[in-house]
Amino acid sequence: MPFFIKTEKFNDKTKRLSTEERKVYLLMHKDWVDDLIQSGKLILSGYLINEEKMPGGGGVLIVEAENYLAAKNIILNDPMIINKLVTWDLHEWIPVVKNFKNKLINHLG
């Protein structure tokens, strides 16, 4: 199955939230990711930091899905998207490493 990558950045609405308000939505996002993993989806999620280890570069989510539409339907259930807290983009990713999925699973194993 192909892999899809969602990239995202906080929008102005999110930047105006207090740290505590933001944490509520981020916990909802983490729970959503955990639920997907528990359902058997291959999904990775995280945020980007700069060389000083400061966040702000946005987030990345990698998901395996049957096709673009299936990946988009998964992504549209992300609480960050449902609550209109991020600008986002979705692309299919073509790994150039042979047996990428097996290597990834072995690495995470």
Side-chain angles (χ1 to χ4, degrees):
M1 260 194 291
F3 290 93
F4 296 85
I5 296 180
K6 176 192 74 157
T7 54
E8 66 183 25
K9 287 205 172 221
F10 287 160
N11 61 26
D12 289 337
K13 174 183 174 182
T14 310
K15 291 175 185 175
R16 289 191 297 268
L17 295 175
S18 70
T19 302
E20 291 305 313
E21 290 171 314
R22 235 180 279 142
K23 281 183 182 179
V24 169
Y25 291 108
L26 291 171
L27 286 174
M28 290 170 59
H29 170 78
K30 287 179 183 179
D31 288 343
W32 171 75
V33 170
D34 287 342
D35 288 345
L36 286 170
I37 292 168
Q38 292 301 315
S39 75
K41 291 278 184 222
L42 178 53
I43 186 167
L44 302 162
S45 179
Y47 60 95
L48 304 171
I49 59 174
N50 66 17
E51 64 185 293
E52 284 91 31
K53 307 268 187 225
M54 299 296 297
V60 174
L61 185 137
I62 301 171
V63 64
E64 185 180 39
E66 291 180 27
N67 54 47
Y68 185 90
L69 183 58
K72 186 175 180 182
N73 285 334
I74 293 168
I75 298 306
L76 289 176
N77 287 300
D78 183 338
M80 299 302 286
I81 292 175
I82 290 171
N83 291 287
K84 299 178 171 58
L85 298 172
V86 292
T87 57
W88 61 278
D89 207 358
L90 179 66
H91 294 278
E92 184 173 349
W93 178 48
I94 310 298
V96 295
V97 175
K98 291 184 181 183
N99 299 317
F100 171 77
K101 182 177 176 180
N102 292 337
K103 289 179 182 186
L104 176 64
I105 290 170
N106 288 335
H107 178 75
L108 297 174

